[in-house]
Amino acid sequence: MLDVENLSKRFGGLIATNAVSLHLASGSISALIGPNGAGKTTLFAQISGFYRPDEGEIRFKNQRITGMAPEDICLLGIARTFQIVQPFAGLTVRENIAVGAHLRHAGRRAALDRADAVARRVGLAGFLDRPAASLTVAGRKRLELAKALATEPALLLLDEVMAGLNPTEIDEIIPVIRDIRDSGVTILLIEHVMRAVMNLSEHAWVLNNGALIAEGSPAEIAANSQVIEAYLGRGAAGVPSAEAVHG
């Protein structure tokens, strides 16, 4: 579904992504992990059109999308969430979700109906008439997910949708994400919550200093000495691998 070939992005002397290649299968849940500052969000920004790559190519469903505008990429079926959740505070939860729904539903009634349906899927049905500003962190994370889902994507890029959640809240949102995949949406997620990565993803890529250093199943990644050293520093590969990656 998604093919990224040798994608590079520089900011002055900083190489944010360095010849990154990955291939995402339709109907999968995959993960992109790595230490803070590894280039994960920059890669998402290039895929979704917010940054233009300096080198490389991105193809979605065999169509070249490199350098296209974000709104055009979204129309093709790629939606993303953002690390820093910023709802439209003056609008209700329903109206926030409807903003995304308006991409494919010009009429207000149709967009609001779509918002109601999406809210039920992500567990926000009881909050539709509340101001978005009144939501907890967990509620705002679900709202961010709902706004992206309302655009009716084929590919959903989730950028740390579980960051800031407690263990109970994480356990509650994992089946929501799995249900979205089961409905036919392919998912690529950036996540530091390794319990969620191990539970959800079938394949994972690891970025460090802008470059891919490993890929494979979550179990293979957890046992990879390069990955352990990337997270914990040189010499850390001698510690138990599960402890290193889950820490």
Side-chain angles (χ1 to χ4, degrees):
M1 170 177 273
L2 179 72
D3 297 291
V4 174
E5 295 284 356
N6 297 315
L7 215 62
S8 295
K9 181 65 182 176
R10 300 177 186 85
F11 298 98
L14 173 67
I15 302 175
T17 57
N18 187 5
V20 174
S21 296
L22 58 85
H23 306 281
L24 191 66
S26 179
S28 62
I29 299 179
S30 301
L32 181 65
I33 67 172
N36 287 329
K40 304 181 298 295
T41 295
T42 300
L43 184 63
F44 266 22
Q46 291 172 87
I47 294 169
S48 55
F50 289 86
Y51 290 153
R52 186 181 184 92
D54 294 315
E55 298 168 10
E57 181 171 279
I58 310 162
R59 300 188 71 85
F60 176 61
K61 295 184 176 180
N62 295 318
Q63 177 177 344
R64 188 178 187 275
I65 63 170
T66 316
M68 288 178 59
E71 59 270 24
D72 294 328
I73 290 175
C74 193
L75 275 168
L76 288 176
I78 298 179
R80 66 167 293 189
T81 65
F82 292 84
Q83 281 185 38
I84 300 173
V85 180
Q86 294 181 311
F88 301 105
L91 302 181
T92 65
V93 169
R94 176 184 281 109
E95 290 166 336
N96 265 263
I97 302 172
V99 170
H102 272 298
L103 181 75
R104 304 193 190 278
H105 300 277
R108 178 173 171 80
R109 183 69 265 161
L112 291 173
D113 288 346
R114 172 67 180 161
D116 287 6
V118 171
R120 288 193 295 271
R121 291 188 64 185
V122 303
L124 288 176
F127 300 85
L128 281 164
D129 295 316
R130 294 192 186 183
S134 71
L135 294 177
T136 63
V137 170
R140 291 186 181 206
K141 289 286 186 175
R142 289 183 185 244
L143 179 57
E144 181 76 1
L145 174 60
K147 288 193 295 180
L149 193 59
T151 67
E152 301 178 27
L155 172 60
L156 186 56
L157 307 176
L158 301 180
D159 195 347
E160 295 194 38
V161 75
M162 291 175 234
L165 304 187
N166 64 41
T168 299
E169 291 164 341
I170 291 168
D171 288 341
E172 290 171 349
I173 203 166
I174 283 175
V176 172
I177 294 171
R178 189 176 289 117
D179 177 69
I180 292 170
R181 187 279 307 275
D182 291 345
S183 73
V185 180
T186 302
I187 295 173
L188 177 61
L189 57 92
I190 292 172
E191 198 52 72
H192 285 294
V193 179
M194 292 308 299
R195 180 159 53 95
V197 172
M198 300 294 285
N199 271 281
L200 282 169
S201 62
E202 297 128 25
H203 194 85
W205 292 270
V206 186
L207 269 179
N208 188 38
N209 294 324
L212 283 175
I213 61 170
E215 69 169 290
S217 70
E220 289 169 337
I221 292 299
N224 186 295
S225 59
Q226 280 188 283
V227 176
I228 295 166
E229 289 197 356
Y231 273 94
L232 296 183
R234 187 172 298 278
V239 305
S241 60
E243 286 290 325
V245 179
H246 284 272

